[in-house]
Amino acid sequence: MPDVTVSIGGREFQVACQAGEEHFLRAAAAMLNAEAEPLVQQMGRLPEARMLLMSGLMLADKTAALEDENRQMKEKIATLQARAVPPPEKVEVPVIPPQVFETMAEIAARAEALAERIEEKAQG
């Protein structure tokens, strides 16, 4: 079981943890230190237990606020998911009647015939 040295409020602490968990311990200690540092700067040197207690309480307060916000967000998500889903909008695509294709083919054939006649007259 590895020992990790962490610094909280300007004090060093040796803490044991499971192998591979060192980075989690350091991250948690950094969070606790972020709360302890302002306390030490504002109040000066505090007894170790008081500094750790106050820092822990401040972190717990932040955690409680985040848990409350998380709960509210989950409630909003549940409300949104519970809303009735409107039926999909029906989109009608107009269908081109087969006669239009036939008419277009006939017009194209006539245009080609006219073009051929014009070419013949121009050449002849």
Side-chain angles (χ1 to χ4, degrees):
M1 194 177 283
D3 281 341
V4 176
T5 301
V6 295
S7 177
I8 300 171
R11 295 186 177 116
E12 301 272 316
F13 298 91
Q14 286 281 79
V15 183
C17 66
Q18 297 293 324
E21 299 290 319
E22 296 89 348
H23 63 284
F24 293 116
L25 176 59
R26 286 188 182 96
M31 291 172 66
L32 192 56
N33 185 52
E35 298 300 324
E37 284 296 326
L39 286 173
V40 171
Q41 289 174 3
Q42 290 173 2
M43 304 173 129
R45 188 150 176 90
L46 294 169
E48 184 178 288
R50 185 154 183 85
M51 176 196 61
L52 293 172
L53 173 65
M54 295 296 290
S55 300
L57 288 173
M58 290 168 60
L59 270 178
D61 182 55
K62 286 182 179 180
T63 301
L66 288 172
E67 286 177 351
D68 187 48
E69 183 180 348
N70 189 28
R71 181 190 50 77
Q72 290 174 6
M73 292 298 172
K74 284 181 178 180
E75 288 173 3
K76 284 182 183 179
I77 289 170
T79 300
L80 291 172
Q81 288 176 336
R83 285 186 183 170
V85 177
E89 183 179 333
K90 185 175 180 180
V91 177
E92 292 189 31
V93 178
V95 177
I96 300 173
Q99 302 92 321
V100 172
F101 290 112
E102 293 168 7
T103 303
M104 294 296 280
E106 188 178 313
I107 291 171
R110 285 183 187 174
E112 286 177 15
L114 283 172
E116 285 178 18
R117 276 197 254 159
I118 292 171
E119 283 181 16
E120 287 174 6
K121 285 185 181 183
Q123 290 176 358

